[in-house]
Amino acid sequence: MSIDSDSAALFPDEVVTRAHTRLVEVPGLDGRVALVTIDNGHDHTKPSTFGPAGLASLDSALDEAFAAEPAAIAVTGKPFVFAVGADLSGMGQLSEREYAHRIAKAGHDVFRRLTESEIPTFAFVNGAALGGGLELALSCHYRTVADNAGAIAFPECFLGLFPGWGGTQLLPNLVGADQAVTVILENSLNQNKMLNPGKATGMGIFDIQLESPDFLEESLRWAARVINGSSTVQRAEIDRGQGWDEAISRAKEIAASKTHGASPGVNKAVELIELARNNDLDAGYAAETEALADALMTDELRAGLYAFDLTQKRAKKPAGAPDKSLANDVNKVGVVGAGLMAGQLALLFARRLEVPVVLTDIDQGRIDKGVAYVHGEIDKLGAKGRLSSDGVNRLKALVTGSLDKSAFADADFVIEAVFEEMSVKQQVFGELEQHVSPETVLATNTSSLSVGEMGAKLAHPERVVGFHFFNPVAVLPLLEIVRGERTDDSALATAFAVGKKLKKSCVLTADTPAFVVNRLLTRFLGEVIASVDEGTPFEVADRALNPLGLPMSPMVLLQLVGPAIAQHVNETMHAAYPDRFGLSDNLRRFVDAGKTGVWTTDEAGNQIVDPEVAELWQQGDEPLSEEQVRDRALRALAEEARIMLDEDVVVEAADLDLCMLLGAGWPFWLGGITPYLDRSGYSELVNGKRFHQPGVASLPSS
């Protein structure tokens, strides 16, 4: 294989993963093992990837390995990392399909040498194996995995792509089509779910799991046993008939429900898995190459790469955050409230900060219930093997409750999670200030209220900061950190430091109503509800946004958020911006009636509008089509996003996108929201200009 200088020049910033070959003597083996180690020269925080130069280095290392005529060839990685796939930053710079085709074919050509080798080939997966890294492992004849290896997955569909260096062909022919659908599609589209070594081995992806302390040595010994016949590897029989048919049907259902056809890459993954039924690598790899070359030249893929870059880089260096040296240490945390949200917060703080956490509430019964919830969740973690028995006892000891707010006297950080009412929150902070030190940060988990107003009556309003989590707290990675008008840099820096320790992606927002995610969601949901008020059938309005491939439809989102909460946020927004955020009398009646959702099922199991909802919802006689509802919602989103940037709610459009990606689960192939508004023309239609320059989150302009 040869990768010419033109292709390499397109990846000028490639962190080259070098491959080094050494010959290893193994007891009990007649001959040596050519061990190829792939390493980009950085520690585990910068995993090894493959661009043109990296593939060329691996190819040269394999030349050396084959030339040695060893008993076996094995590939492994640097400490804690096997390899995590293609150099995505370079992929986003490709301007011509010809170059994209070369890169796609190069991966196949190099990896396939291991598959077609007459010498036994092994992958010793000592750490993270994602995307092309997992494809490299699958290209070998046999695979071991370390018991502490993290991040094993095919994340491509999450990005709007598909495994393109053999994954769609090799995996179904190793573990069966159904399990391949789970790994390639279902897990990837389920918030990029990863496999652990035990699960992956149980599925048949790896032949054996070995303990990490002497993983390489044990892998070599196991390889020797396989070669000399003392160990036999059993492989599952592949059902290429009805089982494969059922797997493809399931794949199509997953793709339809998760993307509504909005992601070409996901649809292509289904096609390629179906093609793998024939187990013809020539045809399969040729199809992958052509499809990958096409996909790399789409705006959707560039938006996906842009989104990936935001979550991997921008999220780790929040724009506008104060110098971290200004942060104070946090050695104790207080949580005001003991309800479900407060319990989730207490659990998170205890697990991540490993400091004492005290909950308080208005009566002992509520406190006891809240503490019991946290302790119960810790017990569950122990039962799942995610905590040792000592770890369980230690964490449970950290979480206590108290009726007396003086228990917060030595707390460095106190967060309130009480009723979403300004007077209630002001009262809580006023009481807290009587007990805590002047430097204690007072954080609010409000979803829409003014942080500045909340602290306005305090002696030290500069210590009040917004700390807005998304539900479920343990799952959604976004944390909106809100700077009030008088919040000082020390409190803000402390909030960012705590957020980082909580392993959340923090975005700085201005103190404006509903901040980012809830403001954008409320605006677009309000337009959908208004269309129903005017006469659009619920079914039509609920399907209107399907072409975007959002994680849930508007009416399902309303049910998830909770109609009462949605109504409260909308009232806050209407008070601030009455010309753009209307109030729905129907939604008010809906909430007053105690309804939680629009949909129910009939006797046949079909989804229908709840008859009680249909009766209370007074509709007009001006229905819109799906296209008209979608147009209305997207115009509103384009307008609101531009206003938010003009108001300096966030630093850049990228922060709006980061919030929607991580807080609302909006698809990577949209790029969040602003690249989609650019691509679809709404940015210029509504605002007269794009959010991004051509070539940002889209194909480079010619």
Side-chain angles (χ1 to χ4, degrees):
M1 185 211 74
S2 173
I3 298 181
D4 58 47
S5 58
D6 289 341
S7 295
L10 292 171
F11 288 64
D13 299 322
E14 178 182 356
V15 177
V16 179
T17 297
R18 303 292 181 187
H20 308 278
T21 299
R22 61 190 175 101
L23 298 176
V24 180
E25 300 281 353
V26 181
L29 184 64
D30 185 14
R32 294 179 294 179
V33 173
L35 182 64
V36 179
T37 302
I38 45 183
D39 187 345
N40 64 1
H42 295 263
D43 66 16
H44 67 280
T45 61
K46 196 173 188 67
S48 302
T49 58
F50 291 112
L55 288 172
S57 179
L58 177 58
D59 197 41
S60 295
L62 291 179
D63 284 342
E64 186 178 348
F66 280 107
E69 298 184 356
I73 296 172
V75 181
T76 194
K78 68 182 184 181
F80 308 111
V81 176
F82 183 70
V84 298
D87 178 352
L88 295 179
S89 61
M91 294 292 187
Q93 298 178 40
L94 296 172
S95 59
E96 296 182 23
R97 186 184 186 279
E98 176 189 355
Y99 293 122
H101 189 277
R102 290 182 194 175
I103 298 300
K105 186 175 185 298
H108 282 124
D109 289 347
V110 178
F111 292 179
R112 195 171 182 176
R113 297 183 68 184
L114 293 161
T115 308
E116 297 182 341
S117 168
E118 293 184 0
I119 299 170
T121 58
F122 295 80
F124 299 157
V125 179
N126 60 308
L130 297 173
L134 185 54
E135 286 172 304
L136 173 60
L138 291 172
S139 297
C140 296
H141 302 152
Y142 306 97
R143 285 158 295 282
T144 67
V145 65
D147 60 2
N148 68 340
I152 298 164
F154 278 131
E156 286 87 350
C157 286
F158 186 67
L159 299 175
L161 196 56
F162 52 85
W165 281 344
T168 67
Q169 305 304 297
L170 294 170
L171 187 61
N173 282 298
L174 177 67
V175 302
D178 189 63
Q179 292 197 115
V181 166
T182 296
V183 177
I184 294 172
L185 286 158
E186 186 174 23
N187 286 358
S188 184
L189 294 175
N190 184 21
Q191 290 295 307
N192 207 14
K193 182 179 179 181
M194 301 283 155
L195 295 171
N196 60 43
K199 177 69 172 177
T201 304
M203 295 176 79
I205 295 175
F206 300 105
D207 298 311
I208 188 171
Q209 175 180 311
L210 300 170
E211 293 183 356
S212 58
D214 51 357
F215 170 72
L216 181 57
E217 292 80 0
E218 287 303 314
S219 291
L220 287 166
R221 293 188 184 99
W222 180 81
R225 293 196 297 272
V226 170
I227 293 168
N228 63 32
S230 59
S231 289
T232 303
V233 174
Q234 301 292 331
R235 297 276 163 78
E237 185 176 345
I238 304 300
D239 182 347
R240 302 184 188 279
Q242 182 178 350
W244 206 290
D245 291 337
E246 292 172 352
I248 295 301
S249 295
R250 188 168 74 91
K252 291 178 179 178
E253 290 173 2
I254 293 169
S257 66
K258 290 291 188 179
T259 74
H260 303 289
S263 173
V266 172
N267 296 334
K268 182 57 67 173
V270 178
E271 291 179 26
L272 290 167
I273 294 171
E274 168 60 9
L275 179 63
R277 187 197 301 249
N278 300 323
N279 198 20
D280 181 342
L281 287 190
D282 287 334
Y285 282 12
E288 273 190 347
T289 295
E290 296 300 325
L292 185 55
D294 289 340
L296 290 172
M297 302 310 295
T298 63
D299 283 334
E300 289 85 357
L301 189 274
R302 302 311 169 98
L305 296 179
Y306 161 83
F308 180 79
D309 190 64
L310 290 184
T311 59
Q312 296 300 304
K313 295 179 181 178
R314 191 177 185 90
K316 295 176 181 177
K317 295 182 178 180
D323 192 299
K324 60 184 179 182
S325 66
L326 299 173
N328 294 323
D329 291 337
V330 173
N331 297 306
K332 182 176 179 179
V333 172
V335 180
V336 182
L340 179 59
M341 175 58 80
Q344 292 183 69
L345 295 178
L347 176 63
L348 181 67
F349 278 100
R351 287 193 69 195
R352 300 301 186 204
L353 270 61
E354 297 184 335
V355 300
V357 178
V358 180
L359 294 97
T360 189
D361 212 312
I362 58 176
D363 61 62
Q364 191 63 46
R366 297 185 189 214
I367 294 171
D368 292 343
K369 184 177 180 180
V371 173
Y373 165 80
V374 179
H375 286 185
E377 292 300 303
I378 293 172
D379 284 333
K380 290 178 184 177
L381 292 171
K384 293 177 181 177
R386 297 171 65 181
L387 285 174
S388 66
S389 58
D390 287 343
V392 167
N393 293 332
R394 179 170 46 81
L395 273 189
K396 288 169 72 171
L398 289 174
V399 181
T400 59
S402 174
L403 262 177
D404 190 348
K405 289 188 175 63
S406 64
F408 296 152
D410 56 346
D412 306 295
F413 191 96
V414 181
I415 185 168
E416 65 78 21
V418 299
F419 185 66
E420 191 77 346
E421 177 65 46
M422 180 60 74
S423 60
V424 175
K425 293 179 184 290
Q426 286 179 328
Q427 179 182 346
V428 165
F429 277 172
E431 293 172 357
L432 284 172
E433 198 168 42
Q434 299 174 31
H435 299 285
V436 300
S437 75
E439 292 77 30
T440 299
V441 173
L442 300 182
T444 170
N445 188 42
T446 182
S447 59
S448 62
L449 300 178
S450 169
V451 173
E453 184 179 350
M454 213 172 291
K457 299 177 182 179
L458 298 178
H460 294 282
E462 70 278 359
R463 57 121 121 257
V464 178
V465 63
F467 213 62
H468 181 218
F469 291 89
F470 292 80
N471 203 10
V473 169
V475 176
L476 291 178
L478 179 66
L479 179 60
E480 290 179 338
I481 296 184
V482 186
R483 181 170 203 156
E485 183 179 358
R486 299 173 69 179
T487 306
D488 66 18
D489 283 350
S490 177
L492 200 63
T494 302
F496 273 99
V498 170
K500 184 176 182 179
K501 289 182 179 179
L502 295 177
K503 298 188 177 180
K504 296 297 181 183
S505 296
C506 304
V507 175
L508 177 65
T509 85
D511 188 14
T512 55
F515 318 126
V516 176
V517 174
N518 285 342
R519 180 167 170 176
L520 288 172
L521 290 181
T522 300
R523 182 73 197 275
F524 109 84
L525 186 58
E527 298 297 335
V528 175
I529 290 174
S531 75
V532 177
D533 288 347
E534 294 164 11
T536 304
F538 280 102
E539 296 86 351
V540 173
D542 208 31
R543 291 194 301 264
L545 278 296
N546 281 0
L548 278 71
L550 300 182
M552 62 191 71
S553 66
M555 298 306 158
V556 174
L557 174 64
L558 177 65
Q559 183 169 351
L560 178 70
V561 170
I565 294 174
Q567 174 72 348
H568 175 78
V569 174
N570 198 44
E571 289 171 349
T572 300
M573 299 309 300
H574 176 74
Y577 310 110
D579 57 326
R580 302 197 307 278
F581 292 82
L583 292 177
S584 168
D585 289 337
N586 283 317
L587 182 59
R588 177 182 52 78
R589 284 191 292 271
F590 183 86
V591 172
D592 290 345
K595 304 302 293 184
T596 58
V598 168
W599 305 116
T600 188
T601 53
D602 61 17
E603 293 181 356
N606 299 312
Q607 177 178 278
I608 61 170
V609 177
D610 183 336
E612 294 180 9
V613 173
E615 184 176 351
L616 67 83
W617 209 286
Q618 299 173 13
Q619 290 187 279
D621 57 2
E622 297 181 4
L624 300 179
S625 66
E626 290 180 27
E627 292 76 12
Q628 289 171 320
V629 175
R630 182 165 61 253
D631 178 73
R632 178 174 179 165
L634 291 174
R635 284 173 181 266
L637 279 172
E639 180 186 38
E640 202 61 35
R642 175 51 59 189
I643 290 171
M644 291 168 72
L645 292 174
D646 291 343
E647 292 178 348
D648 295 323
V649 175
V650 292
V651 176
E652 292 178 356
D655 295 310
L656 298 180
D657 297 326
L658 188 58
C659 285
M660 297 307 284
L661 289 163
L662 299 181
W666 281 34
F668 272 47
W669 60 80
L670 290 186
I673 183 58
T674 61
Y676 179 81
L677 293 170
D678 284 348
R679 282 205 313 275
S680 56
Y682 281 96
S683 303
E684 292 180 280
L685 179 67
V686 175
N687 304 316
K689 59 181 178 180
R690 294 167 58 97
F691 289 100
H692 305 276
Q693 293 297 317
V696 176
S698 63
L699 284 170
S701 54
S702 56

